[in-house]
Amino acid sequence: MKKLVFCLAVLGSIFTGCSSSDDNNDTPVKQPVTGEISANITANKTYAYGNYTLKGMIKVSSGVTLTFEPGCTITCDKSTGENGLIILNGGKLIANGTADSPIVFTEKSKVGGSWAGIIMYGDAPIVNSATAATPQTAVSEDGLNLTYGGSNAAHNGGSLKYVRVEYAGQVITSNSKENNGFSFYSVGSGTVLDHLVAYKGNDDGFEFYGGTASLTNAISYGNSDDSFDWQDGWRGQENTNWYAYQTGVANYGIEVESKSVDNAFWPKVTNITLRRAAGTTTEAQSEIQLDAIQFKKEGNGDYSNIVIDGYVSQTTPSAYNGGVIQIQDKATYDHQVAAGKIKLNNVKITNSPITFISGVPASFTVTAASFVPASNWTTSTTATGAALTAGAWATVDGVNLLAKL
């Protein structure tokens, strides 16, 4: 009898072994912490999942790593003064969010141009002059007046994945104190830049100042200047899946320049979608800034699988031609177009009546035949452009940023 009771007890424990807590999946929900980031980061620091206030132009020192856990939200307030996050050369930013838990940098007023965005420095190569010895350097245009450039092509500034920067692009003085959503000064190929969003800034969404870093799976949405921009001989090679949506006020989809230096190298970008909403006007009425891609000052590159839509001429408040490709100056035409250093292949064009625009002076005319060999310019009706997957990383205030993709 005792054996029977014991066996029944064992069987009972087997069939009732799962607790009600297991049945209800009552795993404790991780609660976000709160805090303030108001001092320079001079020792390794990790910010746990939470909501933080960023106050001031915060610098991450050389040799120091700053880490944010997935799901962090970092908010500035322009009423407190100038704010931004600066990773100095030798420092690292590790901000690896996920599609469902992105890391978001934003500003309280939700007005473009309210803060300086993320600024990263490295010592990868740049080109600042046709005659200067290497490694070449330059001084930043972000108001910090820091020197950038070097010979470390593999510079590693950290890892940014599923990061969104909102309402940045602070411009105080053009060309000497202006910022973007993301500013990369001579950042190297060891840096990971993947699934990034620049949202409704007052300057460029992304700008590269030389360097060798590559950008993958990127959205530039509603930025008032250029969606993607670079200078100083940027030469990233692994770029893919770029999507720009220009609306309201905007200039170029992509602006390409290289400090008037005829380089033997160029960047490479595949899978690009550039869309301009109806009624979008230029930022500065004194300039012709309506084109999908503009090449100037010896800018070049290899681009393929491109979708371009909505780049039409503007009639009000001023009349300007809009087009698909603008070559601004004759040196760029002679050395880059005619020499075969600008390659645009598998290009699908819709709602953009003018394909080529010649710059000033009007001593050259760009046509399809200008791109030699002919395989350097090919159009298509089947190009697919960028391929991106929706999620929280690409959603702002309930709006899916990929809805127009």
Side-chain angles (χ1 to χ4, degrees):
M1 184 66 180
K2 290 181 180 179
K3 290 182 179 180
L4 177 60
V5 172
F6 176 77
C7 290
L8 290 172
V10 171
L11 287 172
S13 68
I14 292 174
F15 288 110
T16 61
C18 294
S19 69
S20 59
S21 175
D22 291 334
D23 290 340
N24 296 328
N25 194 27
D26 290 338
T27 302
V29 177
K30 188 176 182 180
Q31 296 298 317
V33 299
T34 60
E36 182 177 280
I37 306 170
S38 55
N40 291 334
I41 311 300
T42 57
N44 291 347
K45 176 70 176 179
T46 296
Y47 285 94
Y49 162 62
N51 301 310
Y52 299 93
T53 299
L54 180 70
K55 187 178 293 185
M57 297 292 283
I58 304 303
K59 299 180 179 67
V60 179
S61 299
S62 178
V64 173
T65 298
L66 170 63
T67 303
F68 289 100
E69 291 187 349
C72 282
T73 297
I74 301 93
T75 304
C76 301
D77 184 346
K78 66 179 181 180
S79 69
T80 65
E82 294 182 37
N83 304 295
L85 181 61
I86 302 106
I87 297 85
L88 299 175
N89 180 27
K92 289 185 180 181
L93 173 61
I94 306 297
N96 292 332
T98 68
D100 294 328
S101 296
I103 296 169
V104 179
F105 292 82
T106 190
E107 197 277 331
K108 184 178 179 181
S109 71
K110 298 188 176 183
V111 174
S114 294
W115 69 296
I118 293 177
I119 305 169
M120 180 178 288
Y121 284 88
D123 54 357
I126 71 165
V127 172
N128 192 34
S129 166
T131 58
T134 56
Q136 296 188 25
T137 61
V139 176
S140 65
E141 62 181 38
D142 53 10
L144 300 173
N145 297 318
L146 296 178
T147 300
Y148 63 97
S151 57
N152 180 17
H155 159 264
N156 182 349
S159 178
L160 282 66
K161 296 181 179 179
Y162 294 101
V163 175
R164 188 168 69 242
V165 168
E166 303 174 351
Y167 313 113
Q170 185 179 52
V171 178
I172 296 176
T173 305
S174 293
N175 299 319
S176 63
K177 195 171 185 179
E178 62 178 69
N179 295 284
N180 310 287
F182 295 86
S183 301
F184 300 114
Y185 285 93
S186 57
V187 172
S189 61
T191 310
V192 176
L193 306 173
D194 179 59
H195 284 93
L196 307 185
V197 179
Y199 179 78
K200 289 194 174 181
N202 191 48
D203 208 277
D204 302 326
F206 298 87
E207 182 154 7
F208 290 91
Y209 300 83
T212 56
S214 293
L215 172 64
T216 57
N217 304 303
I219 301 172
S220 184
Y221 191 103
N223 294 293
S224 295
D225 195 349
D226 309 314
S227 298
F228 301 93
D229 189 357
W230 58 87
Q231 56 180 291
D232 298 339
W234 174 64
R235 62 191 84 179
Q237 294 294 299
E238 305 298 328
N239 306 281
T240 190
N241 291 325
W242 288 11
Y243 169 50
Y245 186 69
Q246 298 184 288
T247 181
V249 174
N251 295 335
Y252 300 111
I254 299 177
E255 184 177 41
V256 185
E257 65 168 289
S258 190
K259 287 292 178 70
S260 299
V261 179
D262 181 9
N263 297 310
F265 56 82
W266 49 77
K268 183 176 182 180
V269 189
T270 62
N271 307 332
I272 305 167
T273 297
L274 306 175
R275 296 194 188 277
R276 191 177 182 95
T280 302
T281 60
T282 60
E283 177 189 40
Q285 297 302 315
S286 61
E287 299 183 52
I288 301 175
Q289 298 179 316
L290 284 169
D291 307 304
I293 307 176
Q294 183 214 49
F295 296 91
K296 66 179 182 180
K297 296 182 180 179
E298 305 276 15
N300 57 20
D302 184 345
Y303 313 87
S304 60
N305 189 24
I306 308 165
V307 171
I308 294 175
D309 178 78
Y311 288 83
V312 300
S313 297
Q314 173 181 302
T315 57
T316 57
S318 301
Y320 292 127
N321 285 335
V324 174
I325 305 297
Q326 182 192 135
I327 308 299
Q328 191 188 67
D329 56 272
K330 194 171 188 302
T332 301
Y333 177 86
D334 290 342
H335 301 156
Q336 308 305 324
V337 177
K341 296 180 181 180
I342 295 177
K343 304 176 183 181
L344 296 147
N345 286 296
N346 196 19
V347 184
K348 180 180 179 180
I349 303 168
T350 54
N351 303 312
S352 304
I354 302 174
T355 301
F356 299 110
I357 293 182
S358 305
V360 178
S363 56
F364 62 98
T365 300
V366 183
T367 65
S370 303
F371 293 83
V372 289
S375 60
N376 285 348
W377 168 264
T378 59
T379 58
S380 167
T381 59
T382 59
T384 56
L388 297 165
T389 302
W393 77 283
T395 303
V396 180
D397 296 332
V399 177
N400 175 15
L401 303 186
L402 299 177
K404 303 291 186 179
L405 179 59

